[in-house]
Amino acid sequence: MSIDSVQQQTRFLMRQRLRLMVNQYEVHSENPDGSEGPLVAFAQQKRMAFKEQVTLYADTDKQHPLFGFKARKRIDLGATYDITDANGQPIGTFRKDFKKSLLSSTWHLEQPGLGVTTGSERNKGIAILRRVWDFIPYVDALPFAWPYHFDFYAGDQVVFSVEKKFGIRDRYVIEVKDPRLDRRLVFAQAVALDALQAR
């Protein structure tokens, strides 16, 4: 599926593949019946990397890179990530707001010409529960399965959202409400919400 046709889509489904040493994510367009449509991006992230770098491909064989993101600094809790196209040209940035994320994870995504959109967890109660989960005896060994949602705003308007579905396996629905948003930036941010959440 071409970038132009992907840009016309408004709803996508992302799921994580279970692998031992890497995080892998598939992003599909959503069919009218809610099922997975064609693959639009495939991402792989090495776990425990000192400097985050993730490339998203058009195929699961990783033969056709589409875009990627990379941290500017090593192990920085508030690092800025540069998003570049397949030719290495910058197309946007995102960063985690470390102070605000102490209570509710907050991210800032910037697209040239559109400015900054800010996303945070919709349900503050779930946000707090996620933070204490690792400190509850016996429960801390279980994955956090409850859904959580991120809404990204420009001013008082939601421009896109990422909703985690209930379950042990990480599955998300991505909905884009502003047609001007570069879908590549949205996918990069959606992958980061899962892959970098604990950072």
Side-chain angles (χ1 to χ4, degrees), residues 27-42:
V27 181
H28 294 259
S29 61
E30 185 184 61
N31 289 324
D33 64 358
S35 63
E36 286 185 357
L39 178 75
V40 297
F42 174 77

Side-chain angles (χ1 to χ4, degrees), residues 71-135:
R72 290 182 184 174
K73 298 179 180 179
R74 295 175 182 267
I75 315 179
D76 183 353
L77 296 175
T80 295
Y81 294 80
D82 293 302
I83 309 169
T84 55
D85 65 15
N87 297 314
Q89 296 302 307
I91 57 175
T93 64
F94 66 82
R95 66 180 177 85
K96 191 170 187 177
D97 190 320
F98 178 69
K99 288 183 180 179
K100 290 185 178 179
S101 294
L102 293 174
L103 291 178
S104 177
S105 293
T106 302
W107 296 80
H108 304 290
L109 174 69
E110 183 170 3
Q111 176 177 326
L114 282 185
V116 178
T117 64
T118 299
S120 60
E121 293 176 83
R122 185 184 304 165
N123 187 316
K124 306 309 179 190
I126 294 293
I128 293 171
L129 178 59
R130 286 201 312 109
R131 280 151 181 75
V132 301
W133 187 260
D134 290 336
F135 300 101

Side-chain angles (χ1 to χ4, degrees), residues 171-186:
R171 297 181 301 118
Y172 298 86
V173 175
I174 303 167
E175 184 171 10
V176 181
K177 298 179 182 295
D178 188 331
R180 299 172 299 169
L181 275 176
D182 189 327
R183 303 306 191 261
R184 296 171 296 178
L185 305 187
V186 173

Side-chain angles (χ1 to χ4, degrees), residues 160-175:
F160 76 96
S161 60
V162 181
E163 300 194 1
K164 183 178 187 288
K165 309 305 287 184
F166 186 86
I168 300 300
R169 187 180 179 188
D170 289 342
R171 297 181 301 118
Y172 298 86
V173 175
I174 303 167
E175 184 171 10

